[in-house]
Amino acid sequence: MLQRLGKPVALAVNKADTDAREDVAHGFYELGIADIFPVSAEHNRGMDDLLDHVTRDFAVGEAPEEIPSIKVAIIGRPNVGKSTLLNALTGSERSIVSPIAGTTRDSVDETVLLNGVEYVFIDTAGIRRKGKTREMAEKLSVVMARRNIRMAHVVLLVLDATEGIVGLDATIAGYAHEGGRGLIICVNKWDLMPEGGKRKFEQDLRDELKFLEYAHVVFLSAQIGTGVKPLFKMIRQVYEASSLRVTTGELNRFVEALHYEERKILYITQASIRPPTFVLFTNKAVPLHFSNQRYIANQIRKQFGFEGTPIVVKTRARGADKQKR
Ligand SMILES: Nc1nc2c(ncn2[C@@H]2O[C@H](COP(=O)(O)OP(=O)(O)O)[C@@H](O)[C@H]2O)c(=O)[nH]1
Ligand SMILES: [Mg+2]
């Protein structure tokens, strides 16, 4: 009946708990199904191979483009230097830079082609209007940040080094984090800072923006141009990290080696990219505590190189019936 359907069929021969029983499974060849997988559902044997096999032809995200085009949003509160940074990145003067907060013209997209990669920068545009208040400009910067985050693959969050991290920075940073995009924190106007303060600044920044622990921090001067060029490589790296896929087999080998006591992780698989999202099947019905989610996310990041991107970890409980036994 199955073969008449004309669909790919794989045979999972269960209860192959031992090597000897695995051999027996191959006796099922006479059913005429070539893809035979001895498995043990109870002892979690052979599942990786089976799952990798049945998912091998699944579409992987968007179709690959000829030239990868990375959309990069430049966000931050008014006057931190977003437009200056855009100009430095694109080598143009198209964005209007002004010492008066919120004077960027309209929506500005600039494309740079570098080493076969297209970078499309989206500046947080403001609306130039007479009598616009500082408060209005600040509100607008949040609205624009949220919009541009949605359109981007990678986000550059710009801070003004001379002012440290203020409340509005944290608000915008929060949206960047929720957006699930790869993130680079750009500490701008570093030319105005005394020598040697980077470590302290980064420490304070990490304290204030704890939830952005995965983000790279770079110190730069958009006006002078120092630290701007290396951003391209970093943007590309973050984009690639956020687009990375790990096979179910690799993930489960990793989980086996992980010393995780809180509960038994039966299974882990990557459900999507940008942000990389993982689903854990565990032996408990309650979702993982936030701190445990973070622990596992960080272990995954370390192991597989998801640098600069947030990672989402979801839990699925195995059916309650299993627990009653
Ligand atoms: N010293 C210094 N000033 C900067 C730097 N980047 C921007 N500025 C100045 O900061 C002000 C605001 O810059 P702008 O790019 O318009 O900020 P935006 O509102 O975030 O787009 C302008 O006076 C810029 O010249 C920098 O790296 N160093
Ligand atoms: Mg601007």
Side-chain angles (χ1 to χ4, degrees):
M1 277 166 64
L2 285 172
Q3 277 176 336
R4 274 206 304 273
L5 290 173
K7 308 221 160 143
V9 177
L11 187 68
V13 183
N14 195 28
K15 308 197 185 179
D17 302 349
T18 62
D19 289 343
R21 284 194 159 192
E22 272 193 21
D23 295 341
V24 174
H26 292 286
F28 285 84
Y29 270 120
E30 55 193 58
L31 288 179
I33 296 167
D35 296 312
I36 295 184
F37 295 87
V39 299
S40 166
E42 188 146 85
H43 299 281
N44 204 8
R45 279 173 69 113
M47 291 298 173
D48 295 346
D49 289 344
L50 176 63
L51 262 174
D52 281 339
H53 175 80
V54 298
T55 59
R56 73 197 185 285
D57 294 328
F58 285 11
V60 183
E62 295 145 40
E65 295 156 49
E66 289 220 333
I67 300 173
S69 179
I70 308 176
K71 295 200 172 58
V72 186
I74 305 175
I75 62 167
R77 59 194 171 82
N79 241 22
V80 291
K82 297 181 294 298
S83 302
T84 310
L85 179 58
L86 176 70
N87 289 341
L89 285 162
T90 60
S92 76
E93 296 292 331
R94 258 201 62 191
S95 282
I96 297 176
V97 176
S98 150
I100 305 150
T103 46
T104 309
R105 236 179 349 189
D106 20 39
S107 182
V108 208
D109 287 7
E110 292 268 358
T111 301
V112 175
L113 195 63
L114 190 69
N115 300 328
V117 180
E118 194 176 79
Y119 300 83
V120 182
F121 293 100
I122 313 157
D123 185 12
T124 296
I127 295 165
R128 186 156 52 176
R129 196 196 284 171
K130 270 194 199 125
K132 192 167 70 177
T133 61
R134 182 196 156 108
E135 197 188 352
M136 219 163 103
E138 292 190 339
K139 275 191 186 142
L140 199 63
S141 75
V142 176
V143 173
M144 295 303 288
R146 295 184 71 177
R147 180 177 152 255
N148 291 349
I149 288 164
R150 276 199 302 277
M151 300 196 309
H153 298 122
V154 177
V155 172
L156 305 183
L157 172 65
V158 185
L159 304 175
D160 183 333
T162 64
E163 297 184 340
I165 295 110
V166 305
L168 191 57
D169 293 322
T171 306
I172 294 174
Y175 286 122
H177 175 65
E178 278 168 35
R181 305 299 197 264
L183 185 65
I184 299 168
I185 302 173
C186 301
V187 184
N188 189 32
K189 309 195 187 180
W190 199 253
D191 54 294
L192 300 176
M193 299 297 279
E195 282 279 308
K198 286 183 185 169
R199 247 187 64 180
K200 172 84 170 65
F201 195 100
E202 180 164 352
Q203 250 166 30
D204 292 346
L205 186 152
R206 297 276 180 207
D207 278 350
E208 297 265 348
L209 308 174
K210 278 206 176 65
F211 52 97
L212 298 185
E213 61 193 340
Y214 53 85
H216 294 295
V217 174
V218 295
F219 296 86
L220 50 92
S221 168
Q223 196 167 56
I224 295 169
T226 33
V228 172
K229 201 74 204 287
L231 272 178
F232 286 100
K233 205 172 160 194
M234 197 176 269
I235 290 166
R236 185 176 175 169
Q237 179 267 309
V238 168
Y239 174 78
E240 281 167 4
S242 64
S243 313
L244 207 66
R245 271 181 196 273
V246 183
T247 66
T248 305
E250 278 178 284
L251 278 170
N252 284 292
R253 277 191 289 282
F254 154 76
V255 155
E256 266 165 43
L258 187 71
H259 297 286
Y260 189 70
E261 310 269 295
E262 193 258 344
R263 68 180 69 187
K264 196 165 156 51
I265 299 170
L266 303 167
Y267 225 81
I268 178 168
T269 185
Q270 182 172 358
S272 59
I273 57 169
R274 283 187 250 128
T277 303
F278 298 87
V279 182
L280 291 181
F281 295 86
T282 78
N283 64 341
K284 289 189 188 173
V286 282
L288 275 182
H289 185 267
F290 171 72
S291 61
N292 292 326
Q293 254 175 34
R294 196 152 95 174
Y295 170 77
I296 290 173
N298 285 337
Q299 296 302 313
I300 293 173
R301 177 173 296 112
K302 247 196 260 167
Q303 176 75 21
F304 299 105
F306 289 98
E307 274 159 43
T309 173
I311 287 180
V312 178
V313 173
K314 294 180 176 170
T315 13
R316 294 276 151 72
R318 272 283 164 98
D321 57 317
K322 189 129 192 175
Q323 278 165 22
K324 275 187 224 135
R325 268 193 241 152

